[in-house]
Amino acid sequence: MLTDAVRLAYGQRAAEYTEALGSLSAMAEEDQNLVSGWARDIGGPTMDAGCGPGHWTKFLHDHGVAVEGVDMVSEFIGGAPARFPEVPFRVATLEALPADDGALAAILSWYSLIHTPPHDVPALLNEFARCIRPTGTLLLGFFEGDQIDAFDHAVVTAYCWPVPLMHDALAAAGFEIVETHTRVDPGQRPHAAIIARRLSGPSL
Ligand SMILES: C[S@@+](CC[C@H](N)C(=O)[O-])C[C@H]1O[C@@H](n2cnc3c(N)ncnc32)[C@H](O)[C@@H]1O
């Protein structure tokens, strides 16, 4: 399974990834401002879905959010408590998040869908929608591109998405778009972040 390949690839490089990218100092100031601004309005239980080393989970915790970090890579989840002892973490997959229907006020998915084969992304967005209560929000960070394309990411194959197609996928999963941000940092692939709100109404 492709999920197993992603889990194995990150498991083998978890220490290296944590060293290179597992701290706030490695995160762009614009992203920190976006996440902290979003965090102000959450007001309920939140999941950092695909948290990796857990630095964004810790960031949300420090901003007063009742957050739990989940990731399928046990090497990340095993190491996080030593770095961030006050923050809860557990091993889980994005395919079956450990949350009851509508139990969450928000989900952060910061680059956690980038390795998901594009035809599987709608199912994961549906899973996010299942867990987020109506009017709750999702903050999604991902690589932007003119079309959906695979590329050789340093860890394992990743995909970039055009913003309009991600908007469509979010709408199909029952979200409305609140904010979209795009940016190209020197030497980096184009970046996009979308805040989307879970619509109320009949179940999806
Ligand atoms: C690019 S890293 C991002 C990690 C973290 N959010 C960050 O910003 O550094 C992608 C993360 O998503 C996790 N991930 C990818 N697919 C997943 C899945 N199906 N279930 C759980 N975790 C997944 C990976 O294990 C990895 O930790």
Side-chain angles (χ1 to χ4, degrees):
M1 266 173 66
L2 283 166
T3 311
D4 292 335
V6 173
R7 190 196 325 256
L8 186 65
Y10 272 98
Q12 288 169 343
R13 302 188 66 176
E16 190 187 340
Y17 186 95
T18 301
E19 176 70 24
L21 294 169
S23 68
L24 260 294
S25 58
M27 303 295 108
E29 200 178 325
E30 293 96 321
D31 295 334
Q32 296 187 42
N33 291 338
L34 178 66
V35 176
S36 60
W38 170 70
R40 265 197 297 277
D41 296 328
I42 291 178
T46 296
M47 200 166 272
D48 182 0
C51 62
H55 48 293
W56 284 117
T57 327
K58 162 76 169 149
F59 182 77
L60 288 169
H61 174 88
D62 288 350
H63 282 76
V65 178
V67 63
E68 177 179 35
V70 304
D71 201 285
M72 66 178 172
V73 172
S74 56
E75 289 83 349
F76 280 137
I77 298 303
R83 302 172 67 231
F84 310 123
E86 67 279 41
V87 184
F89 292 96
R90 72 173 127 166
V91 175
T93 68
L94 303 182
E95 286 75 5
L97 290 173
D100 291 338
D101 295 1
L104 299 177
I107 289 179
L108 174 65
S109 169
W110 197 253
Y111 280 79
S112 59
L113 297 185
I114 63 170
H115 303 294
T116 303
H119 60 270
D120 290 335
V121 165
L124 298 190
L125 295 179
N126 284 339
E127 176 63 359
F128 292 168
R130 178 190 71 75
C131 297
I132 298 174
R133 67 192 184 201
T135 75
T137 56
L138 168 67
L139 173 47
L140 190 67
F142 57 99
F143 291 112
E144 196 208 353
D146 292 338
Q147 55 188 32
I148 297 177
D149 261 335
F151 63 92
D152 287 333
H153 180 273
V155 180
V156 64
T157 303
Y159 302 86
C160 57
W161 277 69
V163 162
L165 289 188
M166 192 60 87
H167 282 173
D168 290 348
L170 285 162
F175 290 95
E176 66 174 350
I177 307 305
V178 178
E179 286 177 29
T180 301
H181 303 261
T182 58
R183 193 175 75 238
V184 185
D185 292 331
Q188 305 285 325
R189 287 181 178 277
H191 156 82
I194 299 173
I195 296 175
R197 180 177 295 113
R198 175 80 165 83
L199 292 168
S200 50
S203 59
L204 302 169

